[in-house]
Amino acid sequence: MDTHASSSGHVGRNLDDNPDNFQVVPSTPGSEITEDPILAAATEAALQHRLQEEGEQEPEPFEWPPAILVVAKAVKKLVTPILRVLFAPKAQRTLIKSTAMVIVLLMVLTTSIGAYLTFYRQYVPQTAHIEPIFFQYDQQVEGPTDRIDLTRGQPYTPLRHEQTYDVSVRLHVPTSDINFDLGNFMIRIWLQTSNGSSILHSSRPGILRYQSKTQRIMRVLAKALPLLVGLSEESQTITVPLIEGFMENKAQPVTHAIVSVSTHQLQVYDADLRVIADFHGLRYYMYHRRLVTAIGFVILFTVIEIICAAVAWKFFGQNLWNKVHEALEQMNFEEGGQLHPDDIDNIDHHQQPPNDDDDDDNDEHSKKKDSMIDDAAEAPTTSASTHDH
């Protein structure tokens, strides 16, 4: 015993003297601590949830500058009353009606403009018919001649039978000594139908504007640089009117014209035949006062369309609309099984005329209703007094 005590004391002194020394105590089965599995699972889930929250941290909310917030509040104060007015039921109904009216007016204006354009195209003919002339100098006749096709190969006739035309020939000739020495010359024209028969013939003289040699030399010196560059030339343009106020016969439409010059000595750069419409009356104003006449006709067509639409609605559209409305109400009644009380009141209001007897019955019914309400109010008071007694 003493030996064991001394040895124990010796070991204790050694442990106290050397703090690095430690003693391992083996665990026994009775000393193990048992853990609850449910608590462990809950702890693990809480840890995972915490880790997820730490990993998915929400960014800090964006803060608008104070100046923008002030402006936004001011705009909101200004716009809110307007939006309330615009999105009110009455305003929406008014907006729908106005939109429908605008659409109808746009359709009417579009059809009116289209009608005027169609009328203008059909009523006002082509203003000018200009065809080039190619004189043939190889023919052994009185002078160079050319036959012009006014239809240009089209099946229709170019001229309007109820319209008057002025026919002329334009010649572009050089100011040469030969042309000045030639003096007067004759221009002839024949208007022919498709079968080659002539319905009108005319012949008119032509001549160059006189210029003395001194004037011609001064003109050349004045235009020396453009002449050298090629921007100008020594020439004149002669317009010879041949026919005035020609009106085509509908039974004999003009399809060709023959133009000839009386002499081969005339020098010509180029030439063309001009058939110009001479407008009178309404066509004159439609062509020369286009904007005023267009506005007037568009307004006229619009008024006519509105009148026709009103007459059609009065005699046909209103009855058709009533029938369609009644059919829709009947379909709603058959599908729903019953009408809405407001619809019943509206139908009764439209179908039944007012009657004085009905007013008296309504007054009596209201009086009876008031008396029943008073009796029901007095009944609890009477029962309470009986109980106290």
Side-chain angles (χ1 to χ4, degrees):
M1 294 295 292
D2 295 337
T3 304
H4 179 73
S6 62
S7 63
S8 298
H10 180 70
V11 171
R13 283 193 302 268
N14 291 332
L15 291 176
D16 294 336
D17 295 338
N18 189 4
D20 294 333
N21 294 328
F22 59 92
Q23 184 179 4
V24 177
V25 178
S27 61
T28 59
S31 63
E32 292 182 357
I33 300 173
T34 60
E35 294 182 356
D36 190 0
I38 300 175
L39 181 60
T43 304
E44 185 177 0
L47 290 174
Q48 292 180 358
H49 181 68
R50 184 175 179 181
L51 292 174
Q52 290 179 359
E53 288 182 351
E54 291 178 355
E56 298 178 358
Q57 291 182 355
E58 296 182 356
E60 296 181 358
F62 178 75
E63 294 183 0
W64 293 94
I68 296 177
L69 295 176
V70 172
V71 174
K73 290 181 180 179
V75 172
K76 183 179 180 181
K77 289 181 180 180
L78 293 174
V79 173
T80 300
I82 299 174
L83 295 178
R84 288 178 180 175
V85 173
L86 291 177
F87 289 97
K90 186 175 181 181
Q92 291 181 358
R93 289 194 296 270
T94 304
L95 179 62
I96 293 172
K97 292 179 180 179
S98 302
T99 305
M101 291 181 64
V102 170
I103 293 173
V104 171
L105 288 177
L106 288 176
M107 292 177 62
V108 170
L109 288 176
T110 303
T111 54
S112 300
I113 293 171
Y116 174 72
L117 293 177
T118 304
F119 174 69
Y120 182 89
R121 184 178 180 84
Q122 295 296 327
Y123 187 70
V124 179
Q126 185 177 349
T127 308
H129 301 272
I130 301 175
E131 300 294 337
I133 301 174
F134 303 98
F135 289 112
Q136 305 299 317
Y137 287 88
D138 56 350
Q139 299 178 359
Q140 299 298 326
V141 292
E142 295 182 358
T145 306
D146 186 29
R147 190 169 187 264
I148 303 103
D149 184 8
L150 298 176
T151 61
R152 297 183 180 179
Q154 301 295 329
Y156 57 86
T157 58
L159 305 182
R160 191 73 63 85
H161 61 274
E162 70 275 4
Q163 176 62 44
T164 59
Y165 294 90
D166 295 335
V167 183
S168 62
V169 172
R170 187 191 66 87
L171 300 174
H172 184 209
V173 298
T175 55
S176 61
D177 294 334
I178 296 175
N179 287 340
F180 277 109
D181 296 338
L182 183 61
N184 288 322
F185 55 89
M186 298 302 296
I187 302 294
R188 300 183 181 91
I189 186 171
W190 291 267
L191 299 180
Q192 297 180 343
T193 60
S194 58
N195 57 7
S197 60
S198 298
I199 60 175
L200 185 63
H201 168 70
S202 178
S203 179
R204 299 286 177 87
I207 189 173
L208 274 71
R209 294 284 181 181
Y210 174 75
Q211 293 179 1
S212 64
K213 292 184 178 181
T214 305
Q215 184 181 1
R216 290 167 61 186
I217 293 172
M218 293 177 64
R219 188 181 293 273
V220 170
L221 292 175
K223 298 191 298 182
L225 184 58
L227 287 172
L228 293 175
V229 178
L231 299 177
S232 180
E233 60 184 8
E234 298 182 65
S235 62
Q236 289 187 14
T237 300
I238 306 171
T239 301
V240 181
L242 298 173
I243 303 172
E244 293 86 8
F246 169 73
M247 184 178 291
E248 183 184 62
N249 187 2
K250 189 176 182 180
Q252 295 178 336
V254 177
T255 58
H256 295 80
I258 297 176
V259 180
S260 66
V261 182
S262 61
T263 177
H264 287 81
Q265 298 179 359
L266 181 65
Q267 299 174 346
V268 180
Y269 282 137
D270 56 76
D272 54 56
L273 176 66
R274 295 172 176 263
V275 182
I276 309 300
D278 185 15
F279 294 130
H280 296 281
L282 181 59
R283 285 176 178 166
Y284 175 84
Y285 289 100
M286 290 181 67
Y287 182 76
H288 294 283
R289 303 289 186 272
R290 298 182 183 181
L291 182 60
V292 177
T293 53
I295 294 173
F297 273 100
V298 168
I299 293 173
L300 178 62
F301 290 148
T302 302
V303 172
I304 292 173
E305 290 182 6
I306 292 174
I307 292 173
C308 294
V311 172
W313 172 259
K314 181 67 176 178
F315 290 98
F316 306 101
Q318 190 172 5
N319 295 331
L320 181 62
W321 174 259
N322 292 332
K323 291 180 181 179
V324 172
H325 187 65
E326 291 176 359
L328 292 175
E329 287 183 351
Q330 185 66 24
M331 291 174 61
N332 293 332
F333 177 74
E334 292 177 356
E335 292 176 359
Q338 60 181 358
L339 292 175
H340 195 269
D342 296 338
D343 298 334
I344 297 174
D345 295 338
N346 293 330
I347 295 172
D348 295 338
H349 178 71
H350 290 293
Q351 293 181 354
Q352 297 180 359
N355 193 355
D356 296 338
D357 297 336
D358 295 339
D359 296 337
D360 297 338
D361 294 339
N362 293 331
D363 295 339
E364 292 178 359
H365 180 70
S366 62
K367 290 180 180 179
K368 290 181 181 180
K369 186 176 180 180
D370 294 338
S371 62
M372 292 174 65
I373 293 172
D374 294 337
D375 295 339
E378 291 177 357
T381 305
T382 305
S383 60
S385 62
T386 305
H387 179 71
D388 294 338
H389 181 71

